[in-house]
Every structure is written in structure tokens, then in C-alpha cells.
Amino acid sequence: MTTEIATADLQAFTEDWLDWYRTQEARLADPHGFLAITGLHWLDDRPQRFPDAPGAWHTGRDGVVVHLDDGEELVVDGTPVRGEHRFGVLPERGGVDAAWGDAVIEVAKRGGHDIVRPRHPDAPLRTAFTGTPAYAPDPRWAVTGQYVPFDEPRPTTVGAAVEGLEHVYGAPGRIEFELHGRQLSLTAFPGQGAGQLMVLFTDATSGVTTYAANRVLAVEPPAADGTVVLDFNRAANLPCAYTDLATCPLPPAENRLPVAIEAGQKIPRERGGSSAEIPAEVTAAGNPFPRPAHS
């Protein structure tokens, strides 16, 4: 009976991980996901035209402005716009997606700079995507830690995948945990949902079997007693692991772990990884993400 329960638990754990993996891949391979980006254009006060977007773009004290020529049109929040359109001042790590035919023109602010980043479904990186290598899921890499909140969020400046760019986060606390008999900790940043946390890190596998610059781990809100689960099986690549057209943050220095985290996603094929390293659990389950349309 014990073996049967353990087997059932392992099967449920693996199925949950597969759901997570498929979601990651589907988001990446979305027609307007990060693999669809065709350019990273930095704006200044000089009007500029780009080969993969309509209009002439510039920015200044009043924010981003585009001047569309006759016959050019964008759709912003469901409304067609022509001529001059003002996007206004964008918040850091915020942005607007404007539709242009079957493409999306992302207008955003990253590291204090306004950018235009077109996303085209037929981008070669997207249409050639075959999946991300990963370690097979293993419950031993789901570690219980203790969240230690700071008295107040600590402004933390980190580097970026783009040289010279910096990101600033308000770190609310750190997570302490034990792994391989070692006491470790990770500075946590705010996550996407209410109370959620995000951890950027590298480890002894970085640059060997996993992407050298960073991986990210989403952490559910701490329990009432401060406990959290660090499921390193869900350590994910950031977009910069696939494309140079991303502005991803790098981990703070204290998040460079001196142990090997042999779990989660590996070096993508796009950076020299092997598609043969996609776990058998994934290949046995069939296509993990909607195959990109070649258009």
C-alpha cells in the first residue's frame, strides 16, 4: 500500500509539473510571445522609423509618440488610430500592445528607457521552436524554506541582459533554506500575483547545463508561519535565454548559489542546448505546446 501511495503521489507531482511546463512553453511560443520579437528599438527625441513597425517614433518628457503616414494604422485598446498618437509616459516595466495586422507592436519602458519591440507570428525564432530542454521532475528538489520579511522593502539594483541597463526592485524579504546540508538564502522580489514572490538566481549548473545568466523561480505567498516552498523543478528560463532582444534582469550578487540545482529548465536549443534533453515525461505526453503557425 505504501508503494502504491508513493507511486500515485509521484504521478500527481509529475502531472502537475507537466502542466507547468506546457504552460511555460505555450506562453513562449504564443503568436505574440517573446519568440515572435523581431526588433528591440530604443527611442529618443529623434523620430525614427523601423523596418518591422509602422510610423516614426520618438519619446521625451511627455512620453512616447508615433506619427503614422497616410495608409498606416495601429489599433490601440481596440480603437484604430491614424496620424499622430501619443502613448504618454509609461510606467517602469509597463507597456502597451498596439495591433498592426497580425503583428503586435509592444511599446514599453525598461530600465528607464522607452522601447518599441515588434512581435510577428512568422518570426524565424518562433517558427523553428521545438521545445525547451529540462531536467526530469524530482520531488527532492521541492524544498521548504522560511520567508524572512525586511522591515521595509529594500531598493535593489541589478544588471540586465542588455549591457549598461539596470533594473531596480523593492525586495520585500529573503528566503532561508537548507540544501545539501548547507544553509542558503535568496533575496526575493515581488511576484506577479498578490503576495507572490519571485527569485532570480544562478547556481553551479549555470553555464554548464543551465543558462548562464539567470533563471527565475515563482514562489507562492508565504504561509501564516512564514514557510514557503521552493520547487526548483519549476526554475524557468527568462526570455533572454532564447533571444538577444530581451532586457531581462540579472540576479543580485547574493543569489549566486554555490550548489548545483539540477532541476528545472536547461540551456535552450537556441543557445546550444540539445532538444534530446527534453524529459521523457514530456515526449511521452505528446506535443507540450501549440505548434507555431508558419505564415
Side-chain angles (χ1 to χ4, degrees), residues 40-59:
L40 173 58
H41 308 301
W42 302 87
L43 303 183
D44 54 29
D45 59 359
R46 302 166 302 158
Q48 301 178 71
R49 295 191 69 94
F50 310 116
D52 49 357
W57 299 78
H58 71 274
T59 189

Side-chain angles (χ1 to χ4, degrees), residues 16 24 56 69 75 88 99 106-107 165 193 197-198 208 222 236 243 261 263 267 272:
D16 285 347
Q24 290 288 120
D69 286 349
V75 177
E106 178 193 9
V107 188
L165 193 69
L197 302 169
M198 174 186 75
V208 182
T243 174
I261 305 293
I267 298 172

Side-chain angles (χ1 to χ4, degrees), residues 146-150 172-176 226:
Q146 184 71 29
Y147 176 63
V148 180
F150 300 142
R174 68 177 183 273
I175 298 172
E176 299 176 343

